[in-house]
Amino acid sequence: MFLSNIFTDPDLLERYTEIAQSSLLPLLKGAFFNTIPLSIISFIIGLIIAIFTALARMSDIKVLQYIARIYVSIFRGTPLLVQLFIIFYGLPNLNIIIDPFPAAVIGFSLSVGAYGSEIVRAAILSIPKGQWEAGYSIGMSYSQNLKRIILPQAARVSLPPLSNTFISLIKDTSLASMILVVEMFRVAQQIASTNYEFLLLYSEVALLYWIICFPLTIIQQHIEERLSKHLEK
């Protein structure tokens, strides 16, 4: 019924076309200046956290193991939106005030770090123990063995699931609109609040998210195919 009304009513079609065209540039600005940078920065920081957390989980030092386990348990066991609210709206009660964008980076980075650490840890554990022994047999230290032999191999194993994590992160950045980050979804909300065309604006922003994520999905599939051929050899 909705679509039939659009195509049978020229005035309505013209209105929707005008709204879609006029909102496109603001939405793209929200994507390029906030959504994409937020995704990239958070993923890089989160990946660094993930590596150190995974190593802490595998450490012989019990204190590091417990700290890492508690961190992973908290951030995997609580909703991301709640985490963002605590960082942005809750911490000011402790006189810790963080601007919206940095607060979003902190929240997303910690979330990626928690989930990514399990991916990295599983990848490291998948490397045969003989690889460690081979490194030690030629006089490598633990850190040298890890850096030169184990992590490069673990990277091949963890790359596909980490790519999926990045794609999911791009979509999750829409939650940053709830803490006043003017990313793509927040822009759509602002525009829709003035013309009340919520279905049109939210459908448009959904299409833009898909346009961003679809090429990344193709790249991910290509990486998986190349890695599978490499592992078969």
Side-chain angles (χ1 to χ4, degrees):
M1 177 67 89
F2 177 75
L3 291 176
S4 63
N5 288 338
I6 294 177
F7 292 109
T8 57
D9 188 339
D11 293 335
L12 188 60
L13 178 59
E14 182 180 355
R15 168 179 163 77
Y16 284 165
T17 302
E18 182 180 347
I19 292 174
Q21 290 177 344
S22 62
S23 62
L24 181 59
L25 183 57
L27 289 174
L28 290 176
K29 285 183 178 179
F32 283 109
F33 290 106
N34 281 302
T35 299
I36 294 176
L38 179 58
S39 302
I40 294 174
I41 295 171
S42 298
F43 184 76
I44 292 173
I45 297 174
L47 184 58
I48 294 172
I49 295 173
I51 294 172
F52 282 102
T53 302
L55 294 177
R57 287 284 305 272
M58 300 172 63
S59 172
D60 293 330
I61 303 174
K62 295 297 183 181
V63 175
L64 290 179
Q65 289 184 22
Y66 289 137
I67 292 174
R69 286 178 180 176
I70 292 172
Y71 156 64
V72 171
S73 177
I74 290 174
F75 282 89
R76 293 185 69 192
T78 57
L80 178 55
L81 183 60
V82 175
Q83 297 165 16
L84 293 173
F85 269 50
I86 290 173
I87 294 169
F88 185 71
Y89 295 111
L91 290 182
N93 290 338
L94 302 176
N95 295 320
I96 302 174
I97 300 174
I98 306 174
D99 290 335
F101 191 88
V105 169
I106 293 171
F108 289 128
S109 298
L110 290 173
S111 179
V112 170
Y115 284 94
S117 67
E118 293 300 281
I119 296 174
V120 174
R121 186 169 72 93
I124 293 175
L125 291 175
S126 71
I127 306 302
K129 290 184 179 180
Q131 298 291 319
W132 288 94
E133 295 170 356
Y136 291 137
S137 68
I138 59 175
M140 284 188 179
S141 64
Y142 174 81
S143 60
Q144 289 175 329
N145 209 347
L146 189 67
K147 181 173 65 175
R148 298 179 183 179
I149 297 178
I150 304 303
L151 285 181
Q153 296 182 72
R156 296 193 186 100
V157 178
S158 62
L159 192 56
L162 286 176
S163 300
N164 190 59
T165 300
F166 179 65
I167 294 172
S168 297
L169 176 61
I170 293 175
K171 294 178 289 185
D172 288 342
T173 54
S174 60
L175 294 175
S177 64
M178 303 301 292
I179 60 170
L180 309 181
V181 177
V182 189
E183 45 70 63
M184 188 162 54
F185 185 63
R186 179 70 175 181
V187 174
Q189 289 178 314
Q190 292 174 340
I191 298 173
S193 67
T194 62
N195 56 33
Y196 301 103
E197 297 294 347
F198 295 98
L199 179 59
L200 174 64
L201 268 300
Y202 293 163
S203 297
E204 185 177 9
V205 77
L207 177 62
L208 290 176
Y209 275 115
W210 178 77
I211 290 173
I212 294 172
C213 293
F214 181 73
L216 296 176
T217 304
I218 298 300
I219 293 172
Q220 179 191 11
Q221 293 175 351
H222 180 66
I223 291 173
E224 290 180 359
E225 290 174 0
R226 295 203 55 164
L227 286 178
S228 63
K229 290 179 181 179
H230 176 78
L231 292 175
E232 287 175 0
K233 294 179 181 180

